[in-house]
Amino acid sequence: MAERIQQTIQAPFTIDGQTMFTTASVGIAFSGSGYSAAEDMLGDANTAMARAKTLGKARYEMCDSSMHATAAGRFRLETDLRRATERQEFILHYQPIVSLIDFRITGFEALVRWQRPEFGLVMPGGFVAEAEDTGLILSIGQWVLREACRQVRAWNLQFPCTPSFTMAVNISAKQFAQADLVSQIGQVLGETGLAPGNLKLELTESVTMRDEERTTRILSELRKLGICLCIDDFGTGYSSLSYLRRFALDILKIDQSFVADMLNSSESREIVKTILSLGRNLGMKVVAEGVETREQMTLLKALGCEFGQGYLFCRPLDPAAVARTLVASAANYYTLPQESAVHFVAPVG
């Protein structure tokens, strides 16, 4: 029956002389599954339809017990997320961004974590997608931005250095789509007292390419505020060379997948070399993400990469651990403590 419905709907039709086509995603729930209320059955059919859309649309899916359990888990996740924003269960960890020349800490990237009751510390992969789907990412992202700006401002006052520490904050697609994004960021900078040049906004290529005209305008307004603009995970998205010039970006971040493979894959090594050359030619800084071994760091330095972040230098730290790291460093020259000439660590606990 579902196939017959889809076949009928897919037939072309005409509106104002234009031939149109449409498709249908169908979700099926069986009445003999012990339902006591019509809305429960409709809910399961809707869950199956959502699965059909996720798997490519124009298809049908039948609800089963695993799908029901998944839907129940998502419902609980959404409910807990809504409570988390009210109960302030989110925390930030900070991963240092390091100069590959002298291993000086130049700044940090703010990474959100969820201290979820009964589950412990949840990484972004466990909740950010759901937060995006429900729109909760807007309030979470606003809190992350404000807290990260407040924190780096406090560190710059407590641990003065030249140049002062910067803070990189990720901006989601839904955040970037807000009409008042620029005024929101300006308000946060005013409230926290952070100099605009100390804030780096990280965007993915897919976010910037959704509406090029609007993106150009928004990024231009952010640049006028003095904010640094980064493209995160560069090389994994559209990678259009023309938009780098058009959008006037400041920093490219090499995706960690290329860094991880460059010692074993000549293709990945060439991609890294190309990104570094591109950055130099366009007057942009380049940061290598996911640096985990001494060999990776040595090759990046040989290729002319100036900045890196990753587990070789330091795992993401809570604010107290960052402060201990900075206290242990030389005044006005904050470096990560070294166990030996080949291994860099940060304090734990």
Side-chain angles (χ1 to χ4, degrees), residues 237-255:
Y238 292 92
S239 297
S240 168
L241 300 183
S242 62
Y243 83 69
L244 293 179
R245 173 182 53 80
R246 196 162 59 251
F247 293 163
L249 301 161
D250 300 291
I251 299 169
L252 297 178
K253 299 193 79 173
I254 304 174
D255 185 69

Side-chain angles (χ1 to χ4, degrees), residues 22 30 34 50 64 73 83 98 134 154 236 270 283 293 296 318 329 346 349:
T22 189
F30 294 101
D64 56 28
R83 289 175 180 163
V98 180
T134 58
T236 61
E270 287 303 317
T293 69
Q296 290 171 354
D318 62 33
S329 300

Side-chain angles (χ1 to χ4, degrees), residues 43-62:
D44 278 358
N46 190 57
T47 298
M49 181 182 67
R51 170 72 67 85
K53 289 182 177 181
T54 301
L55 294 177
K57 302 183 179 181
R59 58 184 292 153
Y60 64 85
E61 288 290 325
M62 290 175 279

Side-chain angles (χ1 to χ4, degrees), residues 51-264:
R51 170 72 67 85
K53 289 182 177 181
T54 301
L55 294 177
K57 302 183 179 181
R59 58 184 292 153
Y60 64 85
E61 288 290 325
M62 290 175 279
C63 189
D64 56 28
S65 56
S66 65
M67 199 179 296
H68 184 80
T70 299
R74 287 197 64 182
F75 178 77
R76 181 180 178 186
L77 176 60
E78 180 181 342
T79 302
D80 287 354
L81 265 177
R82 293 189 183 279
R83 289 175 180 163
T85 57
E86 299 169 2
R87 299 176 181 178
Q88 299 181 330
E89 293 172 356
F90 296 106
I91 60 174
L92 289 182
H93 283 186
Y94 302 91
Q95 186 169 43
I97 297 171
V98 180
S99 165
L100 298 185
I101 299 172
D102 53 19
F103 309 111
R104 176 176 50 87
I105 299 173
T106 64
F108 304 88
E109 179 179 356
L111 302 166
V112 66
R113 308 284 188 254
W114 178 16
Q115 193 66 55
R116 188 181 182 187
E118 301 178 26
F119 290 85
L121 199 64
V122 182
M123 298 293 107
F127 67 90
V128 166
E130 184 69 17
E132 285 268 10
D133 291 343
T134 58
L136 292 171
I137 195 68
L138 296 178
S139 57
I140 296 172
Q142 182 73 355
W143 175 83
V144 168
L145 179 66
R146 180 174 285 105
E147 177 60 19
C149 288
R150 183 203 64 77
Q151 183 63 83
V152 75
R153 165 70 171 160
W155 284 332
N156 280 333
L157 291 174
Q158 186 178 359
F159 306 101
C161 59
T162 303
S164 53
F165 298 126
T166 60
M167 180 63 71
V169 179
N170 292 279
I171 298 295
S172 72
K174 274 194 167 59
Q175 286 177 279
F176 193 75
Q178 294 178 101
D180 61 343
L181 173 69
V182 177
S183 61
Q184 281 187 35
I185 294 173
Q187 182 179 350
V188 168
L189 290 173
E191 291 173 356
T192 60
L194 181 67
N198 291 116
L199 175 61
K200 298 177 178 178
L201 297 182
E202 295 198 358
L203 308 163
T204 61
E205 295 173 63
S206 57
V207 169
T208 58
M209 293 297 289
R210 291 186 179 184
D211 183 342
E212 292 187 42
E213 186 176 334
R214 179 181 181 275
T215 296
T216 301
R217 176 173 55 82
I218 295 299
L219 295 185
S220 176
E221 292 176 10
L222 291 170
R223 285 291 299 272
K224 287 178 182 176
L225 288 180
I227 295 168
C228 292
L229 303 172
C230 316
I231 285 294
D232 198 13
D233 304 332
F234 186 74
T236 61
Y238 292 92
S239 297
S240 168
L241 300 183
S242 62
Y243 83 69
L244 293 179
R245 173 182 53 80
R246 196 162 59 251
F247 293 163
L249 301 161
D250 300 291
I251 299 169
L252 297 178
K253 299 193 79 173
I254 304 174
D255 185 69
Q256 60 184 354
S257 61
F258 299 127
V259 174
D261 291 342
M262 65 181 182
L263 291 173
N264 303 314

